[in-house]
């Protein structure tokens, strides 16, 4: 027995040496490992909406149109962007008196699925069939439902007939093609389609993808491996292989980057701004950090059913009493621009002449006095009935940035005699119940993600106020109702002339700034942690991910 | 014995049935549903979309009705599809189960394998400097938060020394056994260090108690070698409570370790159960939770049998 001990010890040592050895050197130039914080639950392009899914699918397929990094609508799978001027879009009068539009697209020549089958109008018609079927499980079906007919001209050219003419007639980003030759069988029973689609049952099938890359491995919950797609019609991508690795904990994500296990942390689903700033300070020699202010609009929704908040003077005082410039400067190094409204300054419709509501505690105090909330000494303001000027500010528990902002705001409001109590809830409860069902008593802080020139129908139109009788649909959680706002929203949607539309947008923004149903805070920035050798990644700042231009990424080293 | 087994099996089946309803009801009582959450992140969704999706996923039906429909299928072995992953729930579960069994099984074997000799040695030297050092290290292991321990191990062994991978699972398409094991080292070390302290404390306490029993004094008086008294007489008695602890820990073989899995990007059951519960994925969450319940019950049954093997008095009863 004793003789066996040295043998056992030697075996253990050998095993330890085999396991504990230096890791591989930096990934080869033809492979890129990207770290993100989320793993997509489904890979079907039309079922469920998750940024992780959009990020991965950006490499494997292309929408007909997308907004580029300059926030301009461009063709991706189509050849020419339809306009009324070039004749590819034609307004029509419908029998019911409404105005519709016929839009003609041509699919890129050479577009083929990964198994060599051409991308054709058969796929277009089939995708529409799935999209409009109530049982198919497609998440956002509105775009499909508005199409009344599709006329097929040939294998690559088709005309869609839409029952409503809006300025967005050419945008068809949500029309995501599905391969008819592979998916027809799964769609035989539409109610079972979402369980039988090859996007989830056979996600590495090459015929599901027509982008620069195709998926070759899905390790559920861990990583997705993509390799060059030989049938891709565009310029060949530089990296032979891309691995998208999901690590939910951002500290672990950062450690993986430093250890060389991943090369790059995507800004779409990566480190928070504070983490990125701290990372930049420590590792600027190896990594570059690109900050891109985007369309994530942090704001405070005010419950306009609250009797105190019904008074506009109180709402204005709340905004004037907070120093948003100082807040973004001290917390975010000025990298998250202060918002004057819901429209981002980079959006062409932004009105530059909006009131700034810069910090002015004296004016805030005067407004509160005028509204009947007076202050004796340094305490909380009271009204004539002796009631305290007090509100509850709610946000998502566990979001460190929001909790910090909350504390700064609470302190600044206290200085003008407004008492604010903080009450936070897990995101599940906050978004699932409190905001959706308007159960916050006064203020709810969260963010909206939108697209360039996105009409705020769901957030500002009076028909979008969530109520029990509409099953709490709509996102107008402030309860804001102004006929003029409704009119402007409806007018913008159908105004095709850019100059006239811009004027309407300006009017809408001024009305928003005047009525103040919401306290605008700032626009969030995405932080991209890039190794210094990686080039070609151009943050967009909107919901279209950088991966839609993955063929431009390359290793810049000689 | 067979009557005992049948009795325990019936008890276990009843427990699993009760647990299935409890889990279903608890998930159902959570505020909001997945479509509400989807709505808050995607302003494009219209009221029609919301109504259609709720109906499609059965979220517009009463909870009890949904549970009974699920139960009817479950007793026929149909556990349905995962709402989140759009695949059969069992199919989603299986690879995660294998991963978790590898991670937690290795951890449990390692923790028990180290806890026994350390606990016995500390009990045999109770009150000495060695015992105090072991105790201090045990308390340190118990007190250190798992996420912090994981992060430190990653920073030391993956970032600074570069000896081990920071991730828990290899990215190569067909990784060899050695590559798989290398990736398991840090997650297993994290979990083993976090659980070892507790195990050592159990073994030590049980051994200290056993060493003060009359039969130990008798064994010494009979002139048996101290090592034999320690390992054959005292440990055999001390193992009884420790077996209970191990049996309870067996549930973790399928329930996973959420924090460690998150830190190492390890696709295991802990993260899957968490996502399924948070995403109202009833079929997946229920199957996973029932599996955990069933395994825990089975392990406790096994522990009862081990008691009988270890203690002849139990067999006679």
């Amino acid at each position: 027995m004793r003789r066996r001990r040295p043998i056992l010890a030697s075996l253990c040592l050998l095993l330890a040496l085999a396991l504990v050895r230096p890791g591989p050197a930096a990934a080869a130039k033809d492979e890129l490992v990207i770290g993100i914080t989320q793993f997509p639950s489904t890979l079907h392009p039309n079922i469920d909406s998750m940024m992780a899914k959009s990020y991965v699918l950006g490499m494997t397929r292309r929408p007909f149109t997308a907004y580029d990094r300059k926030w301009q609508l461009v063709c991706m799978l189509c050849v020419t962007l339809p306009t009324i001027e070039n004749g590819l879009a034609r307004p029509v009068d419908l029998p019911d008196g409404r105005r519709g539009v016929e839009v003609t697209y041509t699919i890129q020549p050479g577009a083929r699925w990964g198994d060599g089958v051409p991308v054709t109008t058969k796929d277009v018609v089939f995708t529409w069939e799935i999209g409009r079927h109530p049982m198919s499980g497609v998440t956002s079906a509105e775009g499909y439902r508005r199409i009344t007919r599709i006329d097929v001209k040939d294998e690559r050219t088709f005309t869609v007939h839409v029952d409503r003419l809006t300025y967005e007639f050419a945008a068809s980003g949500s029309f995501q093609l599905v391969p008819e030759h592979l998916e027809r069988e799964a769609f035989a029973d539409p109610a079972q389609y979402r369980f039988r689609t090859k996007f989830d049952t056979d996600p590495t099938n090459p015929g599901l993808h027509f982008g620069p890359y195709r998926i070759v491995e899905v390790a559920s919950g861990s990583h997705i491996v993509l390799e060059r797609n030989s049938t891709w019609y565009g310029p060949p991508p530089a990296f032979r292989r891309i691995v998208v690795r999901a690590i939910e904990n951002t500290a672990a994500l950062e450690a993986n980057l430093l250890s060389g296990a991943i090369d790059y942390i995507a800004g779409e689903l990566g480190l928070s701004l504070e983490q990125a700033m701290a990372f930049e300070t420590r590792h600027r020699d190896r990594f570059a950090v690109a900050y891109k202010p985007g369309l994530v609009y942090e704001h405070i929704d005010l419950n306009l059913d609250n009797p105190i908040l019904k008074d506009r003077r109180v709402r204005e005082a709340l905004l004037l009493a907070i120093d948003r410039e100082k807040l973004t400067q001290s917390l975010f190094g000025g990298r998250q621009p202060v918002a004057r409204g819901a429209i981002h300054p980079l959006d062409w419709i932004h009105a530059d002449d909006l009131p700034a509501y810069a910090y002015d505690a004296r004016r805030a105090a005067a407004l509160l006095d005028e509204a009947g909330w007076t202050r004796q000494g340094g305490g909380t303001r009271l009204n004539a009935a002796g009631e305290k000027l007090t509100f509850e500010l709610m946000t998502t528990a566990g979001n460190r940035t929001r909790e910090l902002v909350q504390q700064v705001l609470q302190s600044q409001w206290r200085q003008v005699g407004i008492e604010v109590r903080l009450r936070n809830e897990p995101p599940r409860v906050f978004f699932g119940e409190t905001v959706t069902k308007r159960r916050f008593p006064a203020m709810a802080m969260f963010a909206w993600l939108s697209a360039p020139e996105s009409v705020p129908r769901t957030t500002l139109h009076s028909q979008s106020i969530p109520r029990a009788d509409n099953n709490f649909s709509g996102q107008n959680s402030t309860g804001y109702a102004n006929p003029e706002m409704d009119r402007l929203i409806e007018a913008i949607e159908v105004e095709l002339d850019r100059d006239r539309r811009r004027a309407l947008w300006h009017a809408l923004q001024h009305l928003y700034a005047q009525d103040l149903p919401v306290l605008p805070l700032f626009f969030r920035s995405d932080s991209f942690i890039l190794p210094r050798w990686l080039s070609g990644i151009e943050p967009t700042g909107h919901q279209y991910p950088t991966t839609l231009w993955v063929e431009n990424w390359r290793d810049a080293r000689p | 014995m067979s009557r005992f087994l049948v009795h325990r099996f019936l008890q276990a089946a009843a427990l699993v049935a009760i647990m299935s309803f409890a889990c279903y009801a608890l998930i159902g009582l959570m505020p909001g549903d997945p479509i509400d959450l989807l709505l808050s992140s995607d302003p494009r969704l219209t009221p029609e979309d919301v109504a259609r999706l709720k109906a499609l996923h059965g979220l517009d039906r009463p909870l009890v009705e949904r549970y009974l429909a699920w139960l009817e299928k479950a007793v026929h072995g149909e556990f349905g599809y995962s709402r989140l992953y759009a695949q059969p729930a069992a199919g989603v579960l299986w690879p995660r189960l294998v991963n978790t069994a590898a991670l937690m099984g290795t951890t449990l074997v390692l923790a028990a394998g180290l806890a026994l000799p350390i606990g016995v040695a500390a009990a045999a030297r109770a009150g000495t400097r060695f015992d105090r050092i072991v105790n201090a290290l045990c308390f340190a292991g118990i007190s250190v938060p798992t996420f912090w321990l994981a992060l430190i191990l990653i920073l030391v062994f993956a970032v600074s020394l570069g000896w081990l991978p920071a991730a828990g699972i290899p990215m190569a398409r067909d990784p060899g056994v050695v590559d798989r094991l290398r990736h398991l080292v840090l997650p297993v070390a994290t979990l083993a260090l976090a659980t070892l302290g507790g195990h050592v404390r159990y073994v030590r306490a049980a051994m200290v108690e056993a060493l003060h029993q009359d039969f130990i004094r008798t064994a010494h008086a009979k002139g048996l070698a101290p090592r034999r008294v320690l390992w054959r007489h005292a440990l055999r008695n001390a193992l009884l409570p420790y077996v209970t602890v191990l049996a309870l820990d067996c549930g973790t073989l399928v329930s996973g370790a959420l924090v460690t899995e998150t830190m190492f990007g390890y696709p295991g059951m802990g993260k899957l159960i968490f996502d399924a519960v948070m995403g109202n994925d009833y079929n997946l969450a229920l199957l996973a939770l029932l599996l955990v319940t069933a395994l825990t019950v089975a392990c406790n049954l096994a522990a009862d049998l081990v008691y009988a093997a270890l203690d002849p008095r139990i067999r006679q009863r």
Side-chain angles (χ1 to χ4, degrees):
Chain A
M1 183 71 184
R2 274 187 191 168
R3 276 183 199 165
R4 281 187 200 160
R5 280 188 182 166
I7 300 169
L8 194 66
S10 307
L11 281 173
C12 288
L13 186 67
L14 276 174
L15 181 66
L17 283 174
L19 298 179
V20 182
R21 62 183 158 80
K29 274 202 293 187
D30 66 348
E31 176 174 308
L32 179 71
V33 184
I34 306 170
I36 59 174
T37 53
Q38 195 182 56
F39 193 88
S41 54
T42 168
L43 287 168
H44 194 292
N46 294 313
I47 295 175
D48 228 336
S49 59
M50 267 180 109
M51 180 44 95
K53 184 184 75 173
S54 306
Y55 190 81
V56 172
L57 295 187
M59 294 184 257
T60 67
R61 52 179 34 252
R62 292 294 141 92
F64 275 97
T65 61
Y67 284 94
D68 67 6
R69 68 182 185 88
K70 292 175 185 162
W71 298 20
Q72 297 297 315
L73 191 67
V74 292
C75 255
M76 296 212 95
L77 182 60
C78 57
V79 173
T80 310
L81 193 69
T83 63
I84 290 167
E85 292 73 28
N86 67 18
L88 292 175
R90 197 171 69 89
V92 289
D93 292 317
L94 300 173
D96 61 4
R98 285 185 299 169
R99 294 204 85 197
V101 64
E102 294 169 5
V103 191
T104 301
Y105 295 95
T106 301
I107 299 167
Q108 285 277 356
R112 280 180 298 150
W113 298 99
D115 55 5
V117 175
V119 177
T120 67
T121 42
K122 265 188 185 174
D123 301 313
V124 173
V125 175
F126 178 61
T127 303
W128 175 51
E129 206 181 315
I130 295 175
R132 67 194 169 130
H133 198 288
M135 302 300 284
S136 65
V138 165
T139 307
S140 183
E142 180 70 0
Y144 294 107
R145 276 198 302 264
R146 281 192 170 176
I147 297 172
T148 54
R149 197 172 86 230
I150 295 181
D151 291 338
V152 172
K153 296 223 164 56
D154 55 45
E155 283 228 312
R156 294 195 296 115
T157 307
F158 62 97
T159 300
V160 293
H161 297 257
V162 184
D163 70 356
R164 189 156 182 245
L165 174 62
T166 72
Y167 71 89
E168 294 174 300
F169 62 80
S172 55
S174 58
F175 197 111
Q176 292 276 352
L177 280 192
V178 171
E180 193 265 351
H181 67 291
L182 290 180
E183 290 285 273
R184 172 66 72 189
E185 194 185 332
F187 192 61
D189 178 0
Q192 291 298 310
Y193 174 64
R194 67 188 194 280
F195 301 128
R196 291 181 182 164
T197 169
K198 284 197 186 315
F199 283 100
D200 291 317
T201 57
D202 185 17
T204 58
N205 189 317
L208 297 170
H209 317 292
F210 61 89
Y213 289 91
R214 64 185 185 86
I215 293 171
V216 295
E217 186 192 344
V218 178
S220 182
S222 171
H223 61 270
I224 293 175
V225 182
L226 304 107
E227 284 179 3
R228 278 192 203 120
N229 180 6
S230 59
T231 66
W232 164 241
Y233 55 90
F239 294 101
R240 180 185 57 84
R241 194 168 185 260
I242 288 184
V243 181
V244 180
R245 172 141 228 169
I247 301 171
E248 205 170 301
N249 184 281
T250 48
L253 189 65
E254 197 179 312
N256 272 267
L257 183 69
L258 292 172
S259 74
I262 56 174
D263 298 312
Y264 152 60
I265 298 179
E268 288 92 340
L269 288 161
L271 303 188
S272 68
L273 187 82
E274 309 92 285
Q275 284 175 310
M277 282 162 57
F279 184 89
E280 187 181 24
T281 311
R282 294 194 304 270
H283 306 289
R284 62 174 75 241
D285 53 327
R286 286 173 60 198
F287 297 94
V289 181
Y291 301 98
K292 179 74 181 183
L295 282 165
V296 185
Y297 169 49
E298 282 285 346
H299 64 274
I300 297 174
D301 265 17
L302 303 173
N303 189 335
L304 299 179
D305 290 347
N306 181 308
I308 305 173
L309 289 171
K310 271 189 174 148
D311 188 332
R312 192 206 161 276
R313 292 168 299 187
V314 175
R315 302 202 295 272
E316 185 179 345
L318 281 167
L319 192 54
L320 289 169
I322 52 175
D323 192 344
R324 293 171 293 163
E325 285 291 349
K326 194 174 166 188
L327 183 142
T328 63
Q329 197 61 44
S330 53
L331 292 185
F332 314 123
R335 289 190 171 93
Q336 304 205 122
V338 168
R340 289 191 178 185
I343 307 297
H344 196 284
L346 292 177
D347 207 332
W348 73 277
I349 51 171
H350 181 257
D352 297 329
D353 57 346
L354 291 174
Y357 291 112
Y359 176 64
D360 189 345
R362 193 171 294 178
R363 171 85 185 125
L367 278 168
L368 291 172
D369 286 339
E370 198 182 307
W373 296 99
T374 54
R375 198 178 195 186
Q376 307 295 326
T380 305
R381 289 173 182 272
L382 305 171
N383 64 7
E387 292 163 334
K388 275 187 175 180
L389 182 57
T390 178
F391 300 110
E392 197 166 77
L393 173 60
M394 300 183 70
T395 192
T396 45
N399 183 320
R400 208 163 59 88
T401 307
R402 286 205 181 120
E403 286 169 353
L404 269 174
V405 171
Q406 245 185 343
Q407 286 164 25
V408 172
L409 298 180
Q410 184 188 40
S411 150
Q412 292 184 342
W413 278 323
R414 191 183 300 125
Q415 286 169 25
V416 294
I418 303 170
E419 182 186 77
V420 170
R421 295 187 310 278
L422 308 182
R423 183 160 73 89
N424 298 340
E425 293 177 339
R428 160 100 200 200
V429 182
F430 184 69
F431 291 120
E433 284 285 316
T434 306
V435 173
T436 312
K437 296 181 180 168
R438 304 188 63 227
R439 287 187 179 152
F440 57 99
M443 299 194 269
M445 180 164 67
F446 59 101
W448 281 121
L449 172 65
S450 65
E453 201 184 350
S454 176
V455 178
R457 172 176 277 276
T458 58
T459 52
L460 291 176
H461 199 285
S462 60
Q463 286 173 354
S464 298
I465 298 171
R467 290 185 306 265
D469 61 5
N470 68 6
N471 202 17
F472 296 103
S473 298
Q475 286 93 44
N476 184 350
S477 46
T478 60
Y480 174 63
N482 183 333
E484 177 60 6
M485 179 62 81
D486 293 352
R487 187 194 68 79
L488 284 168
I489 287 171
E490 285 156 16
I492 286 170
E493 282 176 337
V494 297
E495 180 56 67
L496 303 184
D497 182 89
R498 270 175 78 93
D499 291 334
R500 282 201 293 270
R501 200 160 76 242
R502 190 202 307 261
L504 289 168
W505 271 114
H506 284 203
L508 181 146
Q509 290 168 78
H510 278 283
L511 185 59
Y512 185 80
Q514 172 63 31
D515 285 355
L516 287 175
V518 163
L519 303 183
L521 294 177
F522 51 86
F523 289 100
R524 280 214 311 249
S525 287
D526 290 336
S527 319
F528 295 74
I529 317 290
L530 302 141
R532 296 214 170 265
W533 52 265
L534 182 61
S535 71
I537 295 178
E538 293 183 329
T540 63
H542 49 65
Q543 85 276 32
Y544 288 96
T546 48
T547 47
L548 283 172
W549 293 271
V550 68
E551 62 270 32
N552 300 333
W553 300 5
R554 53 200 70 247
D555 184 340
R557 287 176 291 199
Chain B
M1 192 65 171
S2 56
R3 194 175 166 191
F4 165 77
L5 277 175
V6 169
H7 184 67
R8 289 300 304 267
F9 180 79
L10 289 175
Q11 268 185 342
L15 183 65
V16 170
I18 293 167
M19 278 298 290
S20 73
F21 181 71
C23 294
Y24 205 100
L26 285 174
I27 298 170
L29 289 173
M30 281 167 65
D33 63 41
I35 309 304
D36 291 333
L37 292 177
L38 198 64
L39 181 66
S40 68
S41 64
D42 189 350
R44 294 173 306 164
L45 288 183
T46 61
E48 292 78 22
D49 286 330
V50 173
R52 176 178 56 83
L53 291 170
K54 286 198 178 192
L56 191 66
H57 293 288
L59 297 165
D60 56 344
R61 289 153 58 203
L63 189 76
V64 176
E65 193 183 313
R66 278 186 274 156
Y67 171 73
L68 292 174
W70 174 86
L71 189 64
E72 192 186 336
K73 286 185 176 172
V75 292
H76 291 98
E78 279 182 56
F79 293 99
Y81 281 83
S82 155
R83 192 197 63 79
L84 285 176
Y85 296 89
Q87 288 173 52
V92 176
L93 214 64
W94 181 245
R96 304 289 189 110
L97 199 60
V98 172
N99 285 343
T100 294
L103 175 69
M104 302 309 293
T106 316
T107 303
L108 204 59
V109 168
L110 194 66
L114 290 173
L116 278 173
I118 297 173
V120 170
R125 295 167 181 78
T128 65
R129 182 182 290 182
F130 173 78
D131 182 37
R132 284 199 292 273
I133 290 171
V134 167
N135 272 338
L137 290 174
C138 285
F139 283 122
I142 294 165
S143 318
V144 168
T146 317
F147 76 91
W148 185 83
L149 185 60
L151 201 58
I152 293 296
L153 290 178
I154 291 173
L155 289 174
V156 172
F157 292 102
V159 177
S160 299
L161 299 173
W163 289 356
L164 290 163
I169 199 158
M171 284 184 287
R173 215 188 275 190
D174 292 307
V177 176
V178 173
D179 200 22
R180 279 184 193 277
L181 288 174
R182 285 187 71 233
H183 283 80
L184 264 183
V185 171
L186 289 183
V188 166
T190 304
L191 284 169
L193 286 172
T195 51
L196 184 61
H199 283 243
V200 170
R201 294 285 304 159
Y202 280 119
V203 174
R204 184 194 171 278
M207 278 295 288
V208 166
E209 198 182 329
L211 286 170
H212 284 94
Q213 298 292 320
D214 289 346
F215 66 88
I216 295 293
R217 199 174 52 208
T218 310
H220 281 299
K222 270 164 48 182
L224 290 176
R227 182 173 291 207
R228 189 178 167 82
V229 173
L230 189 68
W231 292 96
R232 291 292 298 274
H233 292 254
L235 181 59
R236 190 162 181 174
N237 281 274
L239 275 179
L240 283 175
Y242 186 55
V243 165
T244 311
V245 173
L246 283 179
L248 289 171
D249 263 14
C250 272
T252 63
L253 284 172
V254 289
S255 66
L258 176 62
V259 176
T260 309
E261 286 170 18
T262 308
M263 292 302 288
F264 291 98
Y266 192 85
M269 289 288 286
K271 186 74 178 59
L272 188 77
I273 293 172
F274 179 79
D275 288 344
V277 170
M278 295 311 284
N280 278 46
D281 192 339
Y282 287 88
N283 292 345
L284 189 58
L286 271 172
L287 187 57
L289 291 169
L290 290 182
L291 209 61
V292 176
T293 309
L295 189 79
T296 309
V297 170
C299 285
N300 279 285
L301 186 60
D304 288 347
L305 299 175
V306 173
Y307 285 165
L310 287 171
D311 189 345
R313 290 170 299 178
I314 295 175
R315 251 176 301 185
Q316 282 160 11
R317 259 182 255 157

